[in-house]
Amino acid sequence: MSDLLRLATAGSVDDGKSTLVGRLLYDTKSVLADTLDAVHRASADRGLATPDLSLLVDGLRSEREQGITIDVAYRYFATPNRSFVLADTPGHVQYTRNTVTGASTAQLGVLLVDARKGVIEQTRRHAAVLALLGVPRLVLAVNKIDLVGYDEVTFSRIAKEFTAHATALGYAEDAVVEIPVSALAGDNVVERSARTPWYSGPTLLEHLETVPVEPDPHDAPFRFPVQYVIRPRTPEHPDYRGYAGQVAAGTVRVGDEVAVLPGGLRTTVTGIDTADGPLEEAAAGRSVTLLLAHDVDISRGDLIAAAAVPPTVTDEFDATVCWLSEKPLAPGARVLVKHGTRTVQAIVTELRTRFDEQKLTSTDAPASLVLNEIGQVGVRTAEAIPVDDYTRNRRTGSFLIIDVADGSTLAAGLVGAPLPELDGVDSCTGDGDSAPSTDDHALVSPGP
């Protein structure tokens, strides 16, 4: 079992995500004393008898004033059994692109619902985004269970509805766990609650500590997007030529044969340098400088990959996109595609399918995609780029679509990444009647 779990929270506004994260930090004693003192003072100033644990997460002034989460907040904590990297994502519809950000590297998603409201539109939207991004496991935290009198029937109804939606999105039943919690009172978050004697499952923390974790892609084929070419040209290093970046997937070792893409030239790794000295090998997530046997023409944007299992080099591919802009996407749109460290001009040649994450139906050949909609598209790039299918490699199978005019991020894209199989669900054909959202939002680039 891995000793590190990356997880992301998601849910609708006021479902209590920040309070739940604060409760986890508070009850696992992962909060510094001075931070806790500041929360106690801020809570007392508001006339609260108990500390407002959401203040441990919502750090922006605008977040505290409005009582909402706007930006993705990353928190790090640990127990004797496991370490955690937690991304607390916003609940507002206009910040769905921040949910994409937080979930892009998650191994588990924690979806919150208010026990009084149950599964709502934003719950279904977030579940679809998590499924699309390949997050392998879900937890449904039915929060504010105290406000419905710790009612078992209410919990069971919500859990059954959500499980049906998650399985329709492609999740196996054993990959989805439902837990009744009260973030405010602490029921079933870290400590088991005596007020839910009908619940026999784990607390949230127990589940986080024991859930099987998908390993980092160390066993995947080696992928290394070049960020910078290092040539000191100093008396001490007159001939040094290194290629700096972060290992996106797999493991590289001295002596490995690699291919430089998109050109396809092959060479051998002769050294792996770091600020702390040379290494014999480097795995996914490690930032290093590679030394190669030949003076190959390599620049920022190139990809160094395992020669035996290279990615596909192509200028045309299918992709699934989550549209994040108020500006609708229409066939023939001219955009920029940012893949790894390379940015190229591109055209969205066609819109093939739009997916309705609420009804679990699809529309063929839609006229457009609007804010927060998910669809399959065809993309043609001005230059060939090396891509992997997203289902095989999340890092080199993902990309951004960028506005040529102002550089804003328009969409998060996944190479291939088929939409959920809609077994038993009717598909409709035509432009459809989907109405664009009128919510405002600012644009950011997905991926921490």
Side-chain angles (χ1 to χ4, degrees):
M1 180 177 293
S2 171
D3 60 356
L4 174 66
L5 175 66
R6 298 180 183 273
L7 64 151
T9 62
S12 190
V13 178
D14 295 331
D15 280 350
K17 297 180 301 301
S18 295
T19 301
L20 180 68
V21 175
R23 171 63 64 183
L24 274 172
L25 298 175
Y26 183 82
D27 284 1
T28 57
K29 298 178 173 57
S30 302
V31 184
L32 296 176
D34 56 345
T35 301
L36 189 57
D37 289 342
V39 169
H40 277 284
R41 289 194 301 271
S43 301
D45 291 342
R46 296 181 177 185
L48 301 176
T50 57
D52 181 356
L53 298 180
S54 70
L55 298 178
L56 292 171
V57 180
D58 291 334
L60 299 179
R61 177 178 295 180
S62 56
E63 294 179 322
R64 296 190 178 204
E65 289 174 349
Q66 298 179 58
I68 64 173
T69 301
I70 295 174
D71 199 7
V72 179
Y74 290 94
R75 294 294 179 265
Y76 308 87
F77 66 102
T79 69
N81 298 318
R82 180 173 277 175
S83 299
F84 303 90
V85 179
L86 186 151
D88 181 37
T89 69
H92 277 73
V93 173
Q94 60 264 43
Y95 300 123
T96 296
R97 87 256 189 250
N98 287 16
T99 301
V100 175
T101 300
S104 61
T105 59
Q107 299 156 312
L108 178 142
V110 180
L111 266 171
L112 272 76
V113 297
D114 187 324
R116 300 168 298 176
K117 302 175 183 176
V119 176
I120 62 174
E121 178 180 331
Q122 190 71 333
T123 311
R124 291 187 286 269
R125 176 177 292 113
H126 283 153
V129 169
L130 293 172
L132 177 67
L133 292 173
V135 178
R137 294 180 179 274
L138 296 180
V139 173
L140 180 71
V142 182
N143 193 25
K144 304 185 182 182
I145 195 71
D146 52 317
L147 299 184
V148 295
Y150 299 93
D151 182 49
E152 179 182 5
V153 174
T154 300
F155 170 75
S156 298
R157 173 180 53 79
I158 295 171
K160 182 178 180 180
E161 181 181 353
F162 180 78
T163 298
H165 187 74
T167 52
L169 289 169
Y171 284 100
E173 287 194 16
D174 61 359
V176 183
V177 173
E178 300 88 4
I179 304 174
V181 303
S182 170
L184 188 63
D187 296 289
N188 295 326
V189 179
V190 173
E191 301 294 335
R192 183 171 297 278
S193 175
R195 290 174 283 199
T196 54
W198 41 265
Y199 175 70
S200 59
T203 67
L204 178 59
L205 183 63
E206 287 172 350
H207 183 65
L208 297 182
E209 287 184 320
T210 57
V211 63
V213 173
E214 296 291 327
D216 285 338
H218 294 171
D219 296 332
F222 170 62
R223 302 290 187 261
F224 184 84
V226 176
Q227 293 182 347
Y228 189 70
V229 179
I230 299 177
R231 294 208 64 193
R233 296 179 180 174
T234 62
E236 296 81 9
H237 306 283
D239 300 317
Y240 187 95
R241 185 195 299 263
Y243 307 98
Q246 185 180 81
V247 180
T251 301
V252 62
R253 299 172 179 84
V254 174
D256 282 354
E257 184 183 16
V258 294
V260 180
L261 303 170
L265 295 175
R266 296 193 173 199
T267 183
T268 303
V269 177
T270 59
I272 304 173
D273 284 352
T274 72
D276 300 319
L279 300 175
E280 285 299 310
E281 67 176 50
R286 190 69 186 261
S287 295
V288 298
T289 299
L290 298 184
L291 307 180
L292 304 178
H294 303 94
D295 290 335
V296 183
D297 182 13
I298 302 176
S299 58
R300 174 181 170 83
D302 288 341
L303 182 76
I304 301 175
V309 193
T312 300
V313 178
T314 181
D315 62 359
E316 197 161 1
F317 55 90
D318 295 336
T320 300
V321 299
C322 180
W323 194 250
L324 306 174
S325 173
E326 289 180 352
K327 180 190 302 182
L329 171 66
R334 294 183 178 275
V335 296
L336 297 175
V337 165
K338 185 180 187 303
H339 175 262
T341 54
R342 177 184 291 265
T343 301
V344 299
Q345 295 182 351
I347 296 176
V348 178
T349 55
E350 63 178 312
L351 307 186
R352 298 200 171 122
T353 305
R354 179 176 61 224
F355 175 61
D356 186 331
E357 78 282 353
Q358 303 299 320
K359 300 177 182 178
L360 296 183
T361 58
S362 63
T363 300
D364 293 335
S368 65
L369 291 181
V370 299
L371 177 65
N372 292 330
E373 288 189 333
I374 297 169
Q376 286 185 314
V377 302
V379 179
R380 185 169 68 244
T381 56
E383 307 168 24
I385 58 176
V387 297
D388 286 298
D389 190 289
Y390 183 82
T391 59
R392 299 190 184 97
N393 193 314
R394 291 170 74 176
R395 290 289 300 276
T396 52
S398 58
F399 62 95
L400 298 178
I401 294 180
I402 298 172
D403 194 320
V404 175
D406 60 15
S408 59
T409 300
L410 300 175
L414 315 175
V415 178
L419 294 170
E421 293 291 338
L422 304 177
D423 294 334
V425 181
D426 291 335
S427 178
C428 52
T429 303
D431 289 343
D433 298 317
S434 178
S437 170
T438 57
D439 292 305
D440 297 329
H441 74 97
L443 292 168
V444 297
S445 298

